[in-house]
Amino acid sequence: MFCPECKTMMISSGGQLKCRKCGYIRKIEAADQMKTQKMRTENEITIVDDEDDKIKTMPTIQIKCPKCENNLAIWWLRQLRAADESEVRFFRCTECNHTWRQYD
């Protein structure tokens, strides 16, 4: 609940809502009660496995695969080391699915 006078968030104390900034006070009413959100259980969550579709939408680059010598691969970046170090570039061949990495 926010203070109607200064628009600061009010705190509850002793059955009242108090504004820390301007000192406005009023009693807590039934409409002011906190609303709780129902937690989802694992049975309610549906996991969609779209790995094949994800590969189709990832960026590609012309680079030679070290395993089959195909000239097309998908690529992505991951931060594997400290934040102040460069990212690691991963490649996956579109033909043989061989994955390799390249450090900068």
Side-chain angles (χ1 to χ4, degrees), residues 27 38-39 45 75 82:
K27 291 190 177 194
K38 179 185 167 198
M39 297 299 291
I45 300 171
W75 65 274

Side-chain angles (χ1 to χ4, degrees), residues 47-73:
I47 298 172
V48 179
D49 183 16
D50 62 345
E51 188 67 30
D52 293 334
D53 293 336
K54 185 191 295 184
I55 291 173
K56 293 176 187 173
T57 61
M58 293 183 75
T60 58
I61 188 170
Q62 290 188 348
I63 189 169
K64 188 178 279 191
C65 173
K67 189 173 180 181
C68 72
E69 298 189 0
N70 179 38
N71 285 326
L72 189 64

Side-chain angles (χ1 to χ4, degrees), residues 63 66 76 78 80-81 87-92 98-104:
I63 189 169
W76 65 95
R78 294 283 168 172
L80 299 179
R81 295 171 283 180
E87 297 174 312
V88 178
R89 186 177 298 122
F90 286 89
F91 300 97
R92 181 172 294 146
H98 174 67
T99 303
W100 70 99
R101 59 176 83 177
Q102 182 181 53
Y103 299 96
D104 287 336

Side-chain angles (χ1 to χ4, degrees), residues 6-88:
C6 67
K7 309 298 185 225
T8 303
M9 184 177 271
M10 299 174 72
I11 59 168
S12 64
S13 176
Q16 296 178 335
L17 290 172
K18 296 180 182 180
C19 177
R20 290 184 187 179
K21 188 174 180 182
C22 71
Y24 177 84
I25 298 174
R26 76 170 178 85
K27 291 190 177 194
I28 296 177
E29 300 169 1
D32 296 328
Q33 296 300 317
M34 290 182 61
K35 296 179 182 177
T36 58
Q37 185 177 13
K38 179 185 167 198
M39 297 299 291
R40 287 181 158 184
T41 63
E42 190 172 323
N43 295 339
E44 294 175 340
I45 300 171
T46 305
I47 298 172
V48 179
D49 183 16
D50 62 345
E51 188 67 30
D52 293 334
D53 293 336
K54 185 191 295 184
I55 291 173
K56 293 176 187 173
T57 61
M58 293 183 75
T60 58
I61 188 170
Q62 290 188 348
I63 189 169
K64 188 178 279 191
C65 173
K67 189 173 180 181
C68 72
E69 298 189 0
N70 179 38
N71 285 326
L72 189 64
I74 59 171
W75 65 274
W76 65 95
L77 298 172
R78 294 283 168 172
Q79 186 70 42
L80 299 179
R81 295 171 283 180
D84 62 342
E85 296 182 31
S86 63
E87 297 174 312
V88 178

